Amino acid sequence: MSTQHPASPIRENPRPSSRRFGGWKLFLILAALLMGAAGAAYLLGPDAVEGSRRAIRVTARTSFVLFLAAFTASSFASLLPGPFTHALLRERRIVGLSFAFSHLLHAIAIYAFGQLNPEFWPSRATLTNLPGTLGYVSILLLAVTSHRALARRMGPTAWRRLHVTGMWVIAAVFTYSYFKRVPMNYWYAVPSALLFTAVVVRLIARRAQALRRGTRSLLAPTEA
């Protein structure tokens, strides 16, 4: 979450986005959609237990989509520059916070399911919960340090290191979570393939940026 670094909010323009649906307006829209999707999934269940199970699945999917968007935003903006990719990069902080909110709903749904199904938590070993715990700790750290004042206090180098590491930890947790389920349901190969593609895209973008920097350094003496 070295690889291609996310842009630090320390140097970002602190003024609100002039876009009609940018900035915190975008967050509120996404939050409303996420709550609506989770609530609908719960209400469509035949009972509270199955409803909470459906909410868990829906919020896992919305979290995955938002994470992929934040994870690949700078890479696509570098490889495929255009209005959409630049807008995604500009709003990546909001997309990342929306991902954190989606996973908060996911945690609430898991808690509700555990309360309604007393056998759930005792059946899970500590080692089984470890990847999810690491993922949530990473999400919390990234969300908290997305606050610009705290980011400035950390400094750009520490901020980048934390966010690059955190993003890769979350990517690893998603990969483990989906890939281990492929033998049970082959549809889990789809998100696994999307994660693999996202990693490849980031590596390609990093290599392309390195080549551009090398080309500029070679041309600099000639231009001088």
Side-chain angles (χ1 to χ4, degrees), residues 11-156:
R11 292 195 296 269
E12 286 182 0
N13 189 342
R15 292 176 299 176
S17 171
S18 60
R19 301 288 181 178
R20 183 178 179 183
F21 296 113
W24 288 109
K25 289 182 181 179
L26 176 60
F27 176 81
L28 292 175
I29 292 171
L30 290 174
L33 292 173
L34 291 167
M35 288 189 293
Y42 177 80
L43 293 174
L44 289 173
D47 53 46
V49 174
E50 184 59 29
S52 58
R53 193 195 302 271
R54 291 188 181 195
I56 290 172
R57 293 170 181 164
V58 167
T59 52
R61 291 164 185 166
T62 56
S63 296
F64 179 69
V65 171
L66 290 168
F67 171 75
L68 279 185
F71 188 63
T72 58
S74 60
S75 300
F76 279 120
S78 175
L79 295 173
L80 300 171
F84 176 77
T85 55
H86 287 161
L88 178 61
L89 180 60
R90 184 179 61 249
E91 302 295 345
R92 179 174 54 181
R93 174 171 172 261
I94 295 299
V95 173
L97 290 172
S98 300
F99 157 65
F101 182 76
S102 176
H103 233 52
L104 173 62
L105 296 178
H106 184 65
I108 293 172
I110 293 175
Y111 175 78
F113 180 77
Q115 292 296 106
L116 295 167
N117 183 11
E119 298 178 356
F120 175 67
W121 290 115
S123 66
R124 295 178 63 86
T126 302
L127 188 61
T128 304
N129 294 325
L130 181 60
T133 301
L134 290 175
Y136 270 106
V137 169
S138 298
I139 293 169
L140 179 61
L141 288 174
L142 297 191
V144 170
T145 56
S146 290
H147 191 278
R148 291 192 176 97
L150 183 55
R152 291 190 185 98
R153 293 189 64 178
M154 290 180 63

